[in-house]
Amino acid sequence: KKIYIDKLREAMENLPEEDVYLIYLLFFEEVTVKEAAQLCGCSRKTIQNRRKKILNDLCQMMHKGLKGNY
């Protein structure tokens, strides 16, 4: 479990600052998509698209980093 947390932390460090901020808002502060859109000055659809892309990027980074740890 610690390996996954470490890999997630490492992957997050490789994201642009604005992506980290969005993930922080949505998953740690539990801000709604609508609230995040208002805070970021964009549409809900933009936030939804960015969230999907960021999560996909994180998944790919973690998968690459975890291949040898099974």
Side-chain angles (χ1 to χ4, degrees):
K1 188 173 180 178
K2 184 178 179 340
I3 291 172
Y4 292 109
I5 293 169
D6 290 342
K7 290 298 175 184
L8 176 59
R9 185 175 291 122
E10 184 180 319
M12 292 278 292
E13 289 173 358
N14 290 311
L15 290 175
E17 190 174 315
E18 60 272 6
D19 290 351
V20 173
Y21 177 66
L22 181 59
I23 293 299
Y24 174 78
L25 287 176
L26 295 172
F27 293 97
F28 296 98
E29 289 295 319
E30 299 181 7
V31 169
T32 66
V33 171
K34 181 179 178 180
E35 292 168 333
Q38 291 171 341
L39 289 169
C40 294
C42 59
S43 70
R44 288 186 308 191
K45 186 64 176 168
T46 298
I47 295 297
Q48 291 169 334
N49 289 341
R50 285 183 57 204
R51 176 183 61 192
K52 183 178 179 180
K53 181 192 176 304
I54 294 165
L55 292 177
N56 186 44
D57 291 348
L58 282 173
C59 184
Q60 288 180 1
M61 284 188 270
M62 289 184 66
H63 182 71
K64 286 179 188 176
L66 291 172
K67 276 185 179 177
N69 294 324
Y70 288 113

